[in-house]
Amino acid sequence: MRVLKFGGTSVGSVESIKNVKKIVEACEEPAIVVVSALGGITDKLIDTARLAGVGNNDYLERFEYICERHHHIIDGVIDNEKKEEVLKIVDSLLDELGNIFRGVYLIKDLSNKTLDAIVSYGERISSIIVSRVIDKAIHYDSRQFIKTNIQFNKHTVDFEITNKLVKETFSNIPKVALVPGFISSDSGNGDTTNLGRGGSDYTAAILASALGASRLEIWTDVDGFMTADPRVINTAYVIEHLSFIEAMELCNFGAKVIYPPTIYPVYHKNIPIIIKNTFNPEAPGTLITQDIKSGEGKAIKGISSINDTCLITVTGLGMVGVIGINYRIFKALAKSGVSVFLVSQASSENNTSFAVRNADAELAVKVLNTEFAKEIEMGEISEITAEKDLATVAIVGENMKHTPGIAGKLFNTLGRNGINVIACAQGASETNISFVIELGSLRKALNVIHDSFFLSNVQVLNIFIAGIGQVGKDLLQQIKQQQPRLLEDKSLKLNIVGMANSKQCIFRREGISLDTYETELKNSTATASPAAIRDGIIEMNIFNSVFVDCTASNEIAGIYKELLNHNVSVVAANKIAASSDYEKYAELKRIARRRDVKYLFETNVGAGLPIINTINGLINSGDKILKIEAVVSGTLNYIFNVISEDIPLSKAIKMAQEAGYSEPDPRVDLSGQDVIRKLVILAREAGYRVEQKDVEKHLFIPNEYFQGSLADFWKNIPKLDAEFEEKRKQLVKEEKRFRFVAKLENGKTEVSLQPVDNRHPFYQLEGSNNVILLTTERYKEYPMVIKGYGAGAMVTAAGVFADIISIANIR
């Protein structure tokens, strides 16, 4: 024998009731079928009763809707030969209900007893209708055998009487027994009562337990227990198998698939529960059983949450070592009917915090202030406080007890994403770790836990990109090309959730299409500014966030600090921040370490070359950088490589500009400022405290050429051609070439134009390539050489891409 329960949505439409008929009639065993009221009708009954209770005549319109809804269902599902009988029974019940509403309206009083009677009509009517739809179904009134007592103003099941009556009622179980869920009656006076929200699940479990059913089937509108709320996490999926303990923990902390008390009756009889979808009966659903094989599945099974949380704290030095404080706290709360769902206590015993629903907070504080009035007056205990607008999150899984480090990983993951844990609790069974956070961080917390504990099939990085120039466009193109491979091979999803050019910006949590982003950005009405970009990222408060700066903007660099402080990693092609005042540079590094996020700027020197990573690797392994010699301006190297008898200096500069190697104003490159910034960054990463002003400059263009307009520069620069041609000819004779070299040695830094001979590593440097020589304590006789493309949008974008991937920590 099976017990099948169908929720309100399962009997809320003509089509869904037809599905119920198919499911039940396909059951080969005898079945007890428990049904809820039509979806949403219970709330309508309550709303109508409350309107009548305050004398509001609008209750009639609500009641008319209730009648029409039931008549519509009857017209759609009842055969013509049965329709007259069903309408007669249902209309009689609706007439009774209308009279009760009218009485409430006239006396303007709605007692709990009357409201219990009113809401019972939903299940009573729906069960009559469904019993006439299913072949050979026999209707039973659950008020005759589900009996309750009053405890703390709530109806609790009297199991001794109930079990006896259930066995007597179903001593001979028909092919299909149709029972209304939720409703019951008082064991003393017989008044109609109910089992509370989700009580139909509970009715089914009570029957299954009392009759020793082979299994309990809960038919609802979802495919089963999900790893998390799919409305918050779009990668959530159905959990195939749960233990009773896991299911209870998930239900108690907000998973609304089944009513929490449902599990207890069948748990003690080891009766399996299966959650199925009425609208998708072929889906396997979720099976809940007593035991799960050790090690089966992932360390945690699912995440649930309660967004209606208030944390109350009782604190004071007068609590330390005093026996019975917690007894008094929870006794006072229990006497007032306040339910506590999380408790956290300091080992020093000077405070106890517990979580309740927001609606219970005021009463709880009042009760405890009364209980401890004497201690509060004496200063031994502080006045009790309540902190609202919080959320409780629980991670659940029996395999946690076999997996070391779960709690450490959990809190590290939360901290790295800027989520502050206010209170936490973990039982000795290690099946549940619960914690309280700010309500505004709930979505972020659920997503990052789901992602970090591999409940998601993929790891997600949520990326914001500022600067959609050539580097930014190349980066987006590379991401677009690599996304399928990264998803398939590395289970990594790069989700572009924001982007900005110099004028407009877009923010979209679900992601921006890389096929249409240019059009979307062009049509965006959101104005881009450093403040707007910063605020947009922070307000989105999304997990695993990465800000990518492909601009050369000083103002954009100025928002790094706030982003890092909000646990957003920063990847910068922009070299302004890393080469600015040393204290600002050091502060950004400190914040990144403290917040456990990344501040990466590999492309600041050498574009895609792994220079900074190599320096960091050497230092972290115990080596020391003694000297750095580098040609790190692709622009200047290109210029000195193309200068020839036919190409004078002025023409070489123009060619560099036209080829895109130089800035639009080539004086930025010729001034050596770019090389100075790069040298400062290298020196700092090598462990030296260096400012830009400390770098000695030996430039090859006289200072007066940097004055005036760009037009003036192009007019005057040919004057240097002859001089440089003479120098070039002399170098050719000596088999030497010019290189603009950045140098760090003995803590001193300089940039200068130097001749190098054909034995020097810098001599054969072609095109816009860069080369860096690192002399260290380990690489003293033969310096380490890093050489390759050091300029160009494509390689710079590739270097930025590599930094992004390193944040994901994939291999």
Side-chain angles (χ1 to χ4, degrees):
M1 184 271 297
R2 296 183 189 176
V3 176
L4 295 80
K5 177 265 175 179
F6 292 91
T9 54
S10 301
V11 292
S13 68
V14 171
E15 193 59 39
S16 62
I17 293 177
K18 289 179 179 178
N19 287 344
V20 171
K21 175 179 171 66
K22 289 179 185 176
I23 292 165
V24 174
E25 291 180 358
C27 185
E28 296 178 356
E29 300 175 61
I32 295 180
V33 178
V34 179
V35 296
S36 298
L38 306 188
I41 284 293
T42 300
D43 287 333
K44 286 290 182 185
L45 288 166
I46 293 170
D47 291 343
T48 306
R50 285 173 178 165
L51 283 173
V54 296
N56 189 328
N57 201 44
D58 290 346
Y59 87 88
L60 289 168
E61 185 179 337
R62 301 285 181 91
F63 178 56
E64 186 178 344
Y65 167 83
I66 292 168
C67 295
E68 288 176 353
R69 178 88 181 277
H70 285 102
H71 285 150
H72 169 73
I73 294 294
I74 291 169
D75 287 340
V77 299
I78 301 295
D79 294 336
N80 288 332
E81 61 267 22
K82 297 180 182 177
K83 190 171 292 185
E84 185 177 347
E85 176 212 356
V86 174
L87 282 172
K88 184 178 179 180
I89 298 171
V90 170
D91 285 343
S92 174
L93 289 171
L94 288 172
D95 284 343
E96 287 179 20
L97 179 59
N99 288 331
I100 296 173
F101 281 140
R102 195 171 298 110
V104 170
Y105 172 74
L106 290 173
I107 65 173
K108 295 181 178 61
D109 180 64
L110 179 65
S111 67
N112 289 334
K113 178 180 175 180
T114 304
L115 185 59
D116 285 346
I118 287 170
V119 297
S120 73
Y121 280 85
E123 272 74 15
R124 290 167 66 186
I125 296 173
S126 70
S127 62
I128 291 290
I129 295 171
V130 178
S131 71
R132 300 315 193 268
V133 173
I134 299 170
D135 269 354
K136 300 178 182 177
I138 297 176
H139 182 266
Y140 292 80
D141 186 344
S142 52
R143 293 175 298 174
Q144 302 302 312
F145 46 81
I146 305 291
K147 298 294 181 177
T148 61
N149 294 318
I150 287 288
Q151 187 175 13
F152 299 123
N153 295 318
K154 294 179 181 178
H155 304 296
T156 60
V157 177
D158 185 331
F159 277 101
E160 184 177 350
I161 297 175
T162 295
N163 287 338
K164 178 175 177 291
L165 291 173
V166 167
K167 290 174 182 177
E168 289 175 359
T169 303
F170 296 100
S171 56
N172 292 306
I173 301 174
K175 173 64 176 171
V176 179
L178 206 297
V179 177
F182 176 70
I183 61 174
S184 50
S185 63
D186 187 274
S187 60
N189 56 34
D191 289 340
T192 296
T193 60
N194 62 70
L195 303 181
R197 287 281 185 181
S200 294
D201 291 350
Y202 198 21
T203 301
I206 292 167
L207 294 172
S209 175
L211 299 172
S214 60
R215 71 179 188 181
L216 169 61
E217 299 178 10
I218 305 292
W219 289 84
T220 180
D221 58 356
V222 295
D223 285 344
F225 271 92
M226 307 287 284
T227 51
D229 187 342
R231 294 168 298 180
V232 178
I233 301 173
N234 57 19
T235 56
Y237 55 88
V238 175
I239 305 169
E240 293 181 2
H241 196 182
L242 288 170
S243 69
F244 285 122
I245 291 173
E246 289 170 334
M248 279 191 282
E249 296 285 10
L250 287 171
C251 288
N252 284 326
F253 280 87
K256 297 177 181 177
V257 181
I258 56 176
Y259 182 51
T262 303
I263 298 169
Y264 296 103
V266 293
Y267 166 72
H268 293 295
K269 295 289 185 71
N270 196 18
I271 298 169
I273 304 174
I274 187 161
I275 313 298
K276 298 279 283 183
N277 189 342
T278 312
F279 305 94
N280 185 21
E282 303 305 317
T286 298
L287 177 65
I288 304 170
T289 59
Q290 181 82 283
D291 299 309
I292 290 181
K293 293 178 183 178
S294 178
E296 179 183 317
K298 298 179 174 69
I300 71 172
K301 284 291 183 67
I303 315 164
S304 59
S305 61
I306 301 170
N307 58 12
D308 174 18
T309 297
C310 175
L311 194 67
I312 296 175
T313 300
V314 181
T315 183
L317 293 177
M319 296 171 63
V320 178
V322 177
I323 297 172
I325 291 289
N326 283 343
Y327 168 74
R328 290 173 61 190
I329 291 172
F330 297 113
K331 180 183 177 184
L333 294 172
K335 285 174 67 177
S336 300
V338 175
S339 176
V340 173
F341 55 83
L342 178 143
V343 179
S344 177
Q345 182 176 25
S347 58
S348 60
E349 299 182 50
N350 71 342
N351 74 72
T352 297
S353 296
F354 54 89
V356 299
R357 303 281 182 178
N358 284 308
D360 292 332
E362 190 175 332
L363 175 60
V365 170
K366 181 180 177 181
V367 165
L368 292 175
N369 277 328
T370 301
E371 174 69 27
F372 293 101
K374 183 177 179 182
E375 288 86 350
I376 292 171
E377 183 180 356
M378 296 173 63
E380 293 178 355
I381 291 179
S382 302
E383 189 162 342
I384 283 77
T385 59
E387 187 177 356
K388 294 187 177 181
D389 296 323
L390 303 175
T392 305
V393 179
I395 65 170
V396 173
E398 292 214 65
N399 282 340
M400 289 198 297
K401 67 182 73 173
H402 306 296
T403 309
I406 291 290
K409 181 177 179 180
L410 170 66
F411 295 120
N412 179 58
T413 298
L414 294 170
R416 196 170 62 247
N417 281 272
I419 299 164
N420 181 44
V421 174
I422 300 168
C424 64
Q426 180 179 12
S429 65
E430 295 186 78
T431 57
N432 179 329
I433 302 176
S434 309
F435 56 93
V436 178
I437 58 175
E438 292 180 351
L439 182 59
S441 297
L442 178 59
R443 173 186 285 269
K444 187 177 184 181
L446 293 176
N447 274 280
V448 75
I449 295 168
H450 200 268
D451 187 77
S452 299
F453 281 89
F454 306 106
L455 290 178
S456 296
N457 293 322
V458 297
Q459 179 185 1
V460 179
L461 283 186
N462 291 298
I463 301 170
F464 306 83
I465 298 178
I468 315 296
Q470 197 55 55
V471 172
K473 286 181 179 177
D474 282 352
L475 174 61
L476 289 169
Q477 183 61 30
Q478 291 175 20
I479 290 173
K480 181 181 176 182
Q481 289 174 347
Q482 290 298 310
Q483 272 180 333
R485 186 189 68 81
L486 289 170
L487 197 59
E488 183 176 350
D489 296 348
K490 304 295 183 181
S491 296
L492 174 65
K493 179 181 179 182
L494 301 181
N495 191 32
I496 310 300
V497 294
M499 58 175 63
N501 57 23
S502 59
K503 297 178 181 179
Q504 291 125 319
C505 56
I506 315 172
F507 296 98
R508 188 176 303 134
R509 180 179 290 273
E510 61 271 21
I512 299 166
S513 170
L514 295 186
D515 292 320
T516 59
Y517 78 88
E518 291 181 276
T519 302
E520 290 190 62
L521 195 55
K522 183 179 179 181
N523 295 333
S524 173
T525 57
T527 303
S529 69
I533 294 168
R534 175 200 63 207
D535 293 345
I537 295 170
I538 292 172
E539 286 171 13
M540 191 174 283
N541 194 29
I542 201 165
F543 73 108
N544 290 354
S545 298
V546 183
F547 175 65
V548 180
D549 183 5
C550 294
T551 74
S553 166
N554 186 58
E555 290 76 18
I556 294 294
I559 70 174
Y560 294 177
K561 179 179 175 180
E562 285 184 83
L563 294 179
L564 290 168
N565 268 321
H566 282 83
N567 292 79
V568 179
S569 292
V570 173
V571 173
N574 184 347
K575 61 181 72 72
I576 289 174
S579 62
S580 63
D581 292 345
Y582 182 86
E583 281 305 323
K584 292 181 179 178
Y585 154 86
E587 184 181 25
L588 294 178
K589 301 273 281 190
R590 283 195 298 270
I591 293 170
R593 282 194 298 270
R594 187 174 71 248
R595 291 285 182 174
D596 197 18
V597 292
K598 300 291 181 66
Y599 170 40
L600 304 175
F601 42 88
E602 180 64 73
T603 57
N604 280 190
V605 183
L609 295 177
I611 300 168
I612 292 173
N613 276 337
T614 301
I615 289 173
N616 288 333
L618 290 169
I619 292 173
N620 292 338
S621 68
D623 205 351
K624 182 178 181 181
I625 308 296
L626 303 175
K627 182 165 68 172
I628 298 175
E629 298 169 279
V631 175
V632 287
S633 171
T635 305
L636 297 181
N637 200 51
Y638 175 85
I639 289 170
F640 291 117
N641 276 334
V642 300
I643 287 178
S644 65
E645 187 175 351
D646 299 321
I647 303 175
L649 175 66
S650 60
K651 185 175 180 180
I653 295 171
K654 192 68 175 175
M655 289 170 64
Q657 184 199 44
E658 291 171 349
Y661 289 124
S662 79
E663 296 293 331
D665 184 346
R667 291 178 295 178
V668 175
D669 299 288
L670 297 170
S671 69
Q673 188 61 42
D674 182 61
V675 177
I676 290 169
R677 284 175 175 166
K678 291 174 179 177
L679 178 59
V680 166
I681 292 168
L682 291 177
R684 289 173 175 178
E685 292 297 291
Y688 297 90
R689 185 180 180 121
V690 176
E691 303 283 2
Q692 289 188 40
K693 65 182 180 181
D694 299 331
V695 181
E696 292 184 18
K697 296 187 288 185
H698 304 284
L699 304 181
F700 58 94
I701 303 287
N703 192 55
E704 59 265 25
Y705 284 79
F706 299 105
Q707 309 303 315
S709 67
L710 181 57
D712 292 335
F713 170 79
W714 287 120
K715 178 182 177 181
N716 294 324
I717 194 65
K719 297 175 183 178
L720 295 178
D721 287 348
E723 178 185 345
F724 261 86
E725 176 58 16
E726 288 301 316
K727 292 179 179 178
R728 187 196 67 79
K729 288 178 180 178
Q730 183 60 37
L731 288 178
V732 170
K733 290 180 183 179
E734 297 174 1
E735 295 188 25
K736 293 180 180 179
R737 291 176 177 171
F738 274 132
R739 295 288 180 255
F740 195 75
V741 179
K743 185 177 179 181
L744 163 73
E745 187 171 17
N746 297 323
K748 293 184 178 181
T749 51
E750 67 172 14
V751 295
S752 61
L753 187 63
Q754 296 180 14
V756 296
D757 61 33
N758 57 13
R759 292 171 298 175
H760 198 284
F762 293 170
Y763 184 83
Q764 296 294 345
L765 202 59
E766 297 179 358
S768 62
N769 284 5
N770 284 189
V771 62
I772 294 89
L773 301 184
L774 299 176
T775 303
T776 74
E777 289 182 343
R778 294 176 187 156
Y779 295 88
K780 188 176 289 186
E781 187 174 352
Y782 299 102
M784 181 182 291
V785 180
I786 303 172
K787 182 179 179 181
Y789 287 120
M794 189 175 294
V795 291
T796 302
V800 171
F801 198 173
D803 274 351
I804 293 170
I805 296 300
S806 72
I807 291 174
N809 196 29
I810 62 171
R811 293 191 175 126

